[in-house]
Amino acid sequence: MTLPRLLIPRESLPGETRVAATPETIKKFLGLGCHVHVQEGAGLLAGFIKEDYIKAGAEVFAAEDSNLLRQVDAVLCVNSPQQALLSKLSKGTLLVGLLAPYGNSSLEASLKSNQLSALALELLPRISRAQSSDALSSQANIAGYKATLLAASALDRYFPMLMTAAGTVQPAKVVILGAGVAGLQAIATAKRLGAVVYVSDIRPAVKEQVESLGARFINPPELEEKPNEAGGYARQASELFLAAQRKQLMEQLSEADVAICTAQVPGKKAPRLLNEEMLDQMRPGSVVIDLAVSQGGNCFGTKPGETIVRKGVRLIGASDLPCSVPNHASVLYSRNLLSLISPLVKDGEFILDTNDEMIDGSLISENGVIRHENVFNAGGTN
Ligand code: NAD
């Protein structure tokens, strides 16, 4: 029987520090009967050195080994590798990662021309069985935590209320927009640091979760239109609804020290929740962290990876926060992949059963035949 061969590439996207497999998950893959090949240098930025991988049982290979690339059955990655690597893979090789498929025509062309199969973790259905494979959640959790730390460190005030010999200082007021996975972790972290936290989301279902963390929920505007949700995600709100929401948020933001923006609708441009007029009301020294910046931003004027000071307000475009916690981000991400891939290993190969809801939902290409055309055609963000 042949052993399925897994390849772990060194990530090529600038700024990427994570890796798709750690020595821990490699041992588990070997236990399932796989061979694991790790590209030299992979994992280094996340704290995993070549010797750790070799000790775990992986084979470390040099970047140019075309012969090996032709023989692998699956490539586990964080971001899609470049065409130079993809073009060396054999027909039917399976690519698994955060492939950023929405509106991504170059990924579509590359999967077609190289006749590859691909599982995009962004499209895993949000069902109970998928939770341990849910990389969006494991990474969003880190982003929410780090967003609050970033805000606390950029703010010109304390987060907690402090009673000192020089008198009392009031706690910071933090407004969090969007209470999904990142937002909830941002709330929990801000509460731990002692801030007073207000939260806006358009899904009324999250009110209870927000309040259980000790934060105050700002109810969505009372309009006939209810964007609400589909499959656990928010639906896109109309411009009329967003205008009402901005009006409602104006007062909260004028008193805020920090705004953390996490509001998103998958595959769509992020809702614009903070406009210029609202920023004008924020006090100099306050901070806005925009986690939705790569999807167009919740806040006017934010740019990916940049801090812009506008009339004394710091606007931080936090596009890659999981990369700033690369060790734990990789540990959790690699476990997500292990959980997704393990059941696919059968009799020496990877079997992709499209009757399985998880595979059906996330398989965007089968031997180069594109599935979920609507995802590639989405107005997306790529
Ligand atoms: P997301 O990143 O797509 O969006 C973040 C948040 O932004 C969401 O809560 C959304 O309602 C909110 N939002 C959208 N438009 C907004 C607006 N105009 N104003 C304010 N907020 C707005 O969401 P996510 O973090 O991926 O999570 C979405 C939901 O899925 C959550 O309820 C989460 O708990 C749930 N979930 C379920 C599973 C599972 O069952 N397997 C796994 C992970 C997450």
Side-chain angles (χ1 to χ4, degrees):
M1 191 174 75
T2 56
L3 298 178
R5 287 179 187 270
L6 287 177
L7 180 125
I8 316 300
R10 187 175 62 229
E11 293 294 318
S12 54
L13 198 71
E16 184 55 73
T17 54
R18 297 167 291 177
V19 66
T22 60
E24 175 196 76
T25 58
I26 284 173
K27 277 189 205 151
K28 300 253 169 68
F29 278 122
L30 294 178
L32 291 171
C34 300
H35 258 313
V36 185
H37 302 273
V38 176
Q39 187 174 8
E40 184 136 28
L44 204 54
L45 296 174
F48 303 106
I49 56 172
K50 183 176 168 181
E51 287 71 23
D52 294 336
Y53 283 117
I54 293 172
K55 218 155 108 193
E59 285 172 37
V60 175
F61 72 99
E64 295 76 25
D65 194 342
S66 303
N67 196 26
L68 171 68
L69 292 175
R70 259 195 306 279
Q71 293 175 39
V72 300
D73 300 288
V75 177
L76 307 190
C77 54
V78 182
N79 310 286
S80 174
Q82 287 172 344
Q83 170 66 4
L85 188 148
L86 296 180
S87 64
K88 296 194 177 96
L89 301 171
S90 297
K91 177 185 174 187
T93 304
L94 173 66
L95 191 63
V96 190
L98 287 166
L99 304 178
Y102 293 110
N104 194 340
S105 49
S106 63
L107 175 70
E108 181 182 13
S110 186
L111 294 172
K112 273 186 191 166
S113 65
N114 299 305
Q115 298 180 291
L116 302 176
S117 297
L119 290 170
L121 294 170
E122 291 89 340
L123 299 179
L124 267 187
R126 254 115 188 236
I127 53 175
S128 308
R129 194 160 56 83
Q131 280 187 8
S132 54
S133 308
D134 187 348
L136 283 187
S137 289
S138 70
Q139 304 305 294
N141 216 324
I142 294 178
Y145 159 79
K146 204 58 198 282
T148 303
L149 296 190
L150 209 58
S153 120
L155 186 65
D156 60 355
R157 291 182 169 175
Y158 274 124
F159 259 38
M161 183 178 92
L162 282 183
M163 284 182 258
T164 78
T168 300
V169 291
Q170 294 305 315
K173 176 170 172 177
V174 175
V175 177
I176 296 181
L177 306 175
V181 179
L184 290 172
Q185 185 55 255
I187 298 169
T189 309
K191 286 299 293 177
R192 270 181 235 130
L193 289 175
V196 174
V197 183
Y198 290 79
V199 182
S200 165
D201 198 300
I202 52 177
R203 293 180 299 125
V206 301
K207 181 178 196 287
E208 204 182 313
Q209 295 165 24
V210 165
E211 289 176 348
S212 73
L213 288 168
R216 295 167 209 188
F217 189 65
I218 305 167
N219 285 309
E222 292 286 339
L223 292 186
E224 238 172 70
E225 175 204 341
K226 303 253 180 294
N228 218 334
E229 61 182 274
Y233 289 111
R235 287 215 178 95
Q236 198 170 26
S238 71
E239 200 33 60
L240 187 76
F241 186 95
L242 290 176
Q245 203 186 354
R246 284 193 292 267
K247 203 166 158 204
Q248 187 195 35
L249 289 172
M250 179 85 103
E251 195 186 321
Q252 298 289 357
L253 286 162
S254 67
E255 294 164 2
D257 295 296
V258 168
I260 298 179
C261 307
T262 78
Q264 297 198 44
V265 179
K268 304 275 192 285
K269 209 167 172 296
R272 178 51 56 86
L273 298 175
L274 259 100
N275 59 18
E276 283 182 273
E277 195 190 346
M278 294 159 92
L279 285 176
D280 285 343
Q281 301 296 316
M282 292 186 75
R283 71 163 185 87
S286 60
V287 177
V288 177
I289 310 278
D290 195 349
L291 291 188
V293 65
S294 301
Q295 280 69 43
N298 290 151
C299 175
F300 169 85
T302 51
K303 294 214 168 73
E306 287 186 32
T307 297
I308 294 161
V309 183
R310 181 190 179 278
K311 299 185 186 174
V313 179
R314 272 175 204 282
L315 308 180
I316 302 180
S319 50
D320 56 359
L321 291 186
C323 293
S324 69
V325 190
N327 186 276
H328 272 168
S330 303
V331 165
L332 297 173
Y333 181 75
S334 62
R335 288 182 192 160
N336 293 145
L337 289 184
L338 175 72
S339 157
L340 178 66
I341 301 299
S342 309
L344 311 184
V345 183
K346 287 182 191 122
D347 302 328
E349 50 182 330
F350 293 105
I351 307 288
L352 295 167
D353 177 7
T354 49
N355 290 319
D356 179 332
E357 198 179 343
M358 281 168 66
I359 302 305
D360 184 43
S362 55
L363 189 67
I364 52 172
S365 172
E366 199 169 12
N367 300 324
V369 178
I370 296 301
R371 305 173 84 242
H372 305 302
E373 289 275 357
N374 56 331
V375 170
F376 288 107
N377 294 336
T381 48
N382 290 290

